[in-house]
Each structure stands twice: as structure tokens, then as C-alpha cells.
């Protein structure tokens, strides 16, 4: 890893991938990218707190089913996911990995996906990145 050679000025990565180097103090976290401090690193300020207004970049994962999946199946899967992610031991283990698990509804994740597509479309257009 470049950071270990001392020639890395800045890196943006997920907590889970850099946790070991943070714990070993081989690298220093300057800020987190979410709108609020992370549960896994409450001592690290957000970019907003550091003076970068309106900065909110977080990664997320979701489960998707094929189009046309029966609503009752989607509901059953969502309820199972809500139950699993509500388990204290599961949440604790995920937090140790730097994952703040939050289960949502199919409607909420659909809205998040649409919002993120629009957000990043604007960023790509403003940056002049060519479509491929």
C-alpha cells in the first residue's frame, strides 16, 4: 500500500479497508464523508464539520429482486432482512467492520437509488466527464 511508503498525500476509502492502518496509526483520518459522524469512528469529524458545506457521500448496499417478483415475496425478504439487521450481535459485528447496518423498505431504497443517480449525474455533468 502506498501509504506505508510515505508517498501518499490523500486517500478516500471505506473504513473497513483502512481500519487496520488507522488502528496501527500508520495513517491518520482527517474526516468522514457522511453528514453525521460514524458510529464506528465517533472521534473523526465529518467534512461538514471541517468546513466543507453540504458534503454527504456514503456508500450503501441493498438487496434487489428481479423485476416482477411478487410483492409478498419482496415483503417476506424485507421482513427477514429487517429482523437480521435488528439483531444486536449482528449489528455489533457489522459495526466492528465499519458497517452501519440500516434496513429500509423497498420504497425507501428505490427513492435512495433514484436520488443518488440524479446526484451523481449532476456531478458528472459539472465535471465534464464524458459518457462511455
Amino acid at each position: 500500500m502506498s501509504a506505508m511508503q510515505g508517498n501518499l498525500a490523500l486517500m478516500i476509502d471505506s473504513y473497513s479497508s483502512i481500519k487496520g492502518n488507522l488502528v496501527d496509526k500508520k495513517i491518520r483520518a482527517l474526516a468522514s464523508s457522511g453528514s453525521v459522524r460514524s458510529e464506528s469512528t465517533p472521534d473523526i469529524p465529518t467534512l461538514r464539520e471541517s468546513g466543507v458545506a453540504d458534503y454527504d457521500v456514503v456508500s450503501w448496499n441493498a438487496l434487489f429482486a428481479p423485476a416482477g417478483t411478487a410483492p409478498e415475496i419482496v415483503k417476506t425478504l424485507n421482513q427477514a432482512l429487517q429482523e437480521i439487521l435488528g439483531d444486536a450481535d449482528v449489528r455489533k459485528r457489522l459495526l466492528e467492520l465499519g458497517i452501519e447496518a440500516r434496513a429500509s423498505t423497498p420504497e425507501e431504497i428505490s427513492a435512495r437509488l433514484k436520488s443518488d443517480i440524479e446526484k451523481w449525474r449532476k456531478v458528472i455533468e459539472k465535471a465534464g466527464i464524458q459518457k462511455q
Side-chain angles (χ1 to χ4, degrees):
M1 178 183 225
S2 302
M4 302 307 103
Q5 297 172 3
N7 61 2
L8 181 65
L10 175 71
M11 177 174 68
I12 299 173
D13 209 339
S14 66
Y15 175 69
S16 59
S17 66
I18 61 172
K19 180 182 177 183
N21 289 314
L22 282 172
V23 170
D24 293 344
K25 301 205 183 297
K26 293 180 179 177
I27 59 175
R28 180 171 54 110
L30 301 176
S32 62
S33 63
S35 61
V36 297
R37 290 188 184 208
S38 171
E39 290 179 51
S40 55
T41 55
D43 55 321
I44 299 173
T46 66
L47 280 165
R48 283 182 179 187
E49 290 176 281
S50 301
V52 182
D54 299 323
Y55 196 95
D56 183 13
V57 177
V58 294
S59 63
W60 54 270
N61 297 291
L63 295 178
F64 290 91
T69 299
E72 61 272 8
I73 293 174
V74 171
K75 182 179 178 182
T76 299
L77 290 171
N78 186 255
Q79 286 173 336
L81 184 61
Q82 297 268 354
E83 185 178 320
I84 291 166
L85 294 180
D87 181 86
D89 289 336
V90 170
R91 291 183 61 77
K92 180 181 178 215
R93 179 62 181 131
L94 290 172
L95 194 57
E96 289 169 0
L97 297 171
I99 300 167
E100 295 177 28
R102 291 182 183 94
S104 65
T105 65
E107 295 77 20
E108 288 169 329
I109 199 62
S110 178
R112 176 64 188 256
L113 179 60
K114 289 174 186 172
S115 172
D116 274 8
I117 288 170
E118 180 61 16
K119 172 184 180 176
W120 293 112
R121 182 192 62 76
K122 289 177 181 177
V123 170
I124 289 165
E125 287 178 2
K126 187 174 183 177
I129 299 170
Q130 296 298 314
K131 295 179 182 178
Q132 296 184 18

